[in-house]
Each structure stands twice: as structure tokens, then as C-alpha cells.
């Protein structure tokens, strides 16, 4: 058999193996979805997230008042028909500010997650696929970043760069990609030895297509779980920094900076609604992301899928 015929045969075998792999992925997806919806807490978290995210997106149409409008005559008004969740120390409607604050907090959480996952996935994929000196260099870089005390570095960077939404997102993404990189690297070290990768190499696929078109889809399960949990973590971090005055600056509302002025003991005792509702929104949102993340982790667990 000549070389052209042998190459053609190898190409056909490689293409067949890749098609079989794609077919298995489609069937696995239906199993994963079914397993996820069997988890009641995960479904509850998903429903809650849909409500929270939908309310934030529809804030301009749902909010009954301008979130930044101040009226000192309504200062610390109790929840009523006019002000559903009461007002703050400047007479601003808390319900309207919660809706608009959710837009900012969720935006920071999602965009920071996308940045961190993109950097971590790229670094982990390159390190795991090529190995050797490339792997050693990138993993030592990960070790250096992890060695810094994150909370102090985070506060320092935010303070030096001056607080703003875009800088907050960049700092979060820069400091939080290392965990994803390690996850993806571990998956790639295992998957690059599988038959479908060898088949892709046989038919002459480029390294870029093999990394991002063949291996990465199979390695993305743990990344999805980590990304889901990361959004809740970023929202919590943004809330903490905004509470300390180092995050998003007033008058723009976020759930974190809505708590800043509720530190007064007098307000805490006499206006319980002021700190309660922003705190509840942070709690419910982070908890919902954790429920969904746990559900995805169980659904994507190979031991669960095989049953």
C-alpha cells in the first residue's frame, strides 16, 4: 500500500474516531442535564438566580423610583406602599437601589469570572498540552501569584489604582485565574494521551485546533463548576470592598456600598430594613450560585454519569 493510500486510510480512521467522540459528547450532555435537574437545591438556586438576574436586567422598568433621588423628608422611612423596602439615610428608595445595585454587583461578578476563566483556561491548556519547560515556567508563575496574600494585595491594588468598576474587575481577574489554570492543566495532562487526540494529530490538525477544538470541550466540566462558584465569590468580594469604601463609589449603588452607612448602631437598631435587605440579597445570590455550582459538580462527576 502506497503512502497516499495509507494517509487517506489514517484520515478516515481519525475522522471516524472524532465523530464518535462528538456523538458521545451529545449523549453525555443530555445525561448531565437530567442529573442536574434531579438536584432540588440546584434547581432552586437556578430559579432564584433567574429571578434575581431578571429583576436586575429589568430594573429600569421595575424600579418605582429614581435610585439616586434624595429626599431628606423621607429619611429612614419604614417599608410602606410607597417605599416597599423603606428608605436609606438620604431618603432614597431601597428597593430601587437594590435593583440597580444588583446590576452592578452581578456585572462585576460575571465579567471578572469571564476574565479569570479565560486567562486560567488559556494558561492551563498551554501548560498541560506542551509540558516540559513551558509547563514548568507557567506553573512557577502560578505559584508566585498564589504566594501573595490575596486580601492585602487586593486592597493595595484597588487603593493604588483608585476605585472604579473596570479596575475592580481587572484586579479580580488578575488575582483569581490561578485555580482555573491548575484545574485545566490537570485535565489536559490526562486527556492529551487519549485516542481522539492521537487521531486528531494523525489527520494533521494544528496544535491550536487540538487544544481548543478537541481537548478543551472535554476538559470544560470542572471549569464550568469553578466559574459558577467564582461569580458568587466575586460578588462577595466586591460587596466587602464596597462596604470598606474601596469598591464601587457612591452615588452608584451596589449591594456592598449600600451597607456602608448602616454601620451606625442607631441606624442598625431603629432602621432594621436598611442593612437587612442588601445583606439578604448578597446572601441569596451567593448561596444560589453555590447551589448551582454544587449541582453542576455532581452532574459532571464521571462516577455519577456512569451510573
Amino acid at each position: 500500500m502506497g503512502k497516499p493510500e495509507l494517509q487517506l486510510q489514517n484520515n478516515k480512521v481519525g475522522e471516524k474516531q472524532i465523530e464518535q467522540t462528538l456523538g458521545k459528547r451529545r449523549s453525555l450532555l443530555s445525561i448531565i442535564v437530567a442529573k442536574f435537574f434531579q438536584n432540588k437545591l440546584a434547581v432552586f438556586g437556578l430559579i432564584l438566580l433567574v429571578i434575581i438576574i431578571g429583576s436586575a436586567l429589568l430594573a429600569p422598568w421595575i424600579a418605582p423610583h429614581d435610585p439616586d433621588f434624595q429626599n431628606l423628608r423621607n429619611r429612614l422611612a419604614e417599608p410602606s406602599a410607597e417605599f416597599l423596602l423603606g428608605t436609606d439615610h438620604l431618603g432614597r428608595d431601597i428597593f430601587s437601589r437594590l435593583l440597580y445595585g444588583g446590576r452592578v454587583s452581578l456585572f462585576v461578578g460575571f465579567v471578572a469570572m469571564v476574565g479569570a476563566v479565560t486567562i486560567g483556561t488559556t494558561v492551563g491548556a498551554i501548560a498541560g498540552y506542551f509540558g516540559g519547560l513551558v509547563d514548568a515556567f507557567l506553573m512557577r508563575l502560578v505559584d508566585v501569584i498564589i504566594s501573595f496574600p490575596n486580601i492585602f494585595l487586593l486592597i493595595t491594588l484597588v487603593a493604588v489604582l483608585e476605585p472604579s468598576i473596570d479596575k475592580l474587575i481587572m484586579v479580580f481577574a488578575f488575582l483569581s485565574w490561578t485555580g482555573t489554570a491548575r484545574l485545566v492543566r490537570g485535565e489536559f495532562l490526562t486527556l492529551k494521551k487519549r485516542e481522539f487526540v492521537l487521531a486528531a494529530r494523525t489527520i494533521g490538525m494544528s496544535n491550536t485546533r487540538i487544544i481548543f477544538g478537541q481537548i478543551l470541550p472535554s476538559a470544560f466540566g470542572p471549569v464550568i463548576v469553578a466559574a459558577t462558584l467564582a461569580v458568587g465569590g466575586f460578588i462577595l468580594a466586591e460587596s466587602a470592598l464596597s462596604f470598606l469604601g474601596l469598591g464601587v463609589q457612591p452615588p452608584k449603588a451596589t449591594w456592598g456600598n449600600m451597607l456602608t452607612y448602616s454601620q451606625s448602631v442607631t441606624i442598625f437598631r431603629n432602621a432594621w430594613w436598611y442593612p437587612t435587605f442588601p445583606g439578604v440579597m448578597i446572601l441569596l445570590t451567593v448561596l444560589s450560585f453555590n447551589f448551582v455550582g454544587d449541582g453542576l459538580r455532581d452532574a459532571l462527576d464521571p462516577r455519577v454519569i456512569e451510573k
Side-chain angles (χ1 to χ4, degrees):
M1 184 180 292
K3 288 185 178 180
E5 290 81 3
L6 181 61
Q7 182 66 31
L8 181 62
Q9 185 177 356
N10 288 339
N11 289 349
K12 289 181 179 179
V13 172
E15 289 172 358
K16 185 176 180 181
Q17 289 179 341
I18 292 172
E19 288 175 1
Q20 289 174 348
T21 302
L22 292 174
K24 288 179 181 178
R25 286 176 186 169
R26 295 190 189 98
S27 61
L28 281 176
L29 181 60
S30 60
I31 296 173
I32 289 168
V33 171
K35 291 290 183 183
F36 177 83
F37 280 97
Q38 289 175 5
N39 188 321
K40 294 181 180 179
L41 281 178
V43 174
F44 172 75
L46 181 62
I47 293 171
L48 204 54
L49 280 181
V50 170
I51 294 172
I52 292 170
I53 294 172
S55 299
L57 292 175
L58 297 174
W61 296 274
I62 298 176
H65 301 279
D66 182 341
D68 298 324
F69 178 72
Q70 302 178 15
N71 186 347
L72 295 178
R73 289 179 298 179
N74 293 323
R75 181 177 180 272
L76 297 178
E78 295 184 2
S80 62
E82 183 179 3
F83 303 108
L84 296 178
L85 302 180
T87 63
D88 64 10
H89 65 296
L90 295 176
R92 297 173 295 192
D93 180 45
I94 289 179
F95 178 63
S96 299
R97 288 180 67 77
L98 279 178
L99 293 174
Y100 278 90
R103 291 164 70 95
V104 178
S105 295
L106 289 167
F107 177 78
V108 170
F110 276 109
V111 177
M113 177 272 292
V114 170
V117 167
T118 301
I119 297 171
T121 300
T122 303
V123 171
I126 293 171
Y129 183 78
F130 290 104
L133 291 176
V134 174
D135 182 29
F137 172 76
L138 292 176
M139 288 303 101
R140 295 303 74 75
L141 177 62
V142 168
D143 292 339
V144 169
I145 295 176
I146 290 177
S147 67
F148 285 105
N150 268 9
I151 185 63
F152 298 113
L153 185 59
L154 184 62
I155 291 174
T156 302
L157 287 175
V158 170
V160 170
L161 295 174
E162 297 182 1
S164 67
I165 294 177
D166 56 342
K167 291 172 183 174
L168 200 64
I169 290 171
M170 286 191 295
V171 170
F172 283 160
F174 174 73
L175 293 178
S176 306
W177 58 269
T178 52
T180 303
R182 284 185 163 181
L183 276 175
V184 173
R185 173 183 175 268
E187 292 292 317
F188 264 68
L189 288 174
T190 302
L191 291 172
K192 72 178 183 179
K193 299 175 183 177
R194 296 283 182 87
E195 290 182 357
F196 70 92
V197 177
L198 298 177
R201 286 174 177 165
T202 301
I203 64 175
M205 275 193 182
S206 64
N207 288 331
T208 303
R209 286 188 64 188
I210 294 174
I211 291 172
F212 295 102
Q214 298 300 317
I215 304 179
L216 189 57
S218 299
F220 221 61
V223 177
I224 293 173
V225 176
T228 306
L229 297 173
V231 176
F234 287 136
I235 291 173
L236 203 57
E238 180 277 321
S239 300
L241 288 175
S242 296
F243 175 75
L244 295 172
L246 296 172
V248 180
Q249 299 299 297
K252 187 177 289 292
T254 73
W255 294 333
N257 68 22
M258 288 179 69
L259 292 169
T260 301
Y261 296 100
S262 63
Q263 299 178 58
S264 168
V265 176
T266 303
I267 290 179
F268 194 80
R269 288 179 177 176
N270 301 325
W272 57 268
W273 56 90
Y274 191 178
T276 298
F277 293 117
V280 167
M281 287 306 300
I282 295 170
L283 172 66
L284 290 178
T285 304
V286 174
L287 200 61
S288 297
F289 275 111
N290 288 342
F291 284 158
V292 171
D294 288 342
L296 287 173
R297 182 192 60 201
D298 293 341
L300 293 167
D301 188 340
R303 293 169 298 180
V304 176
I305 294 174
E306 289 171 0
K307 292 181 180 180

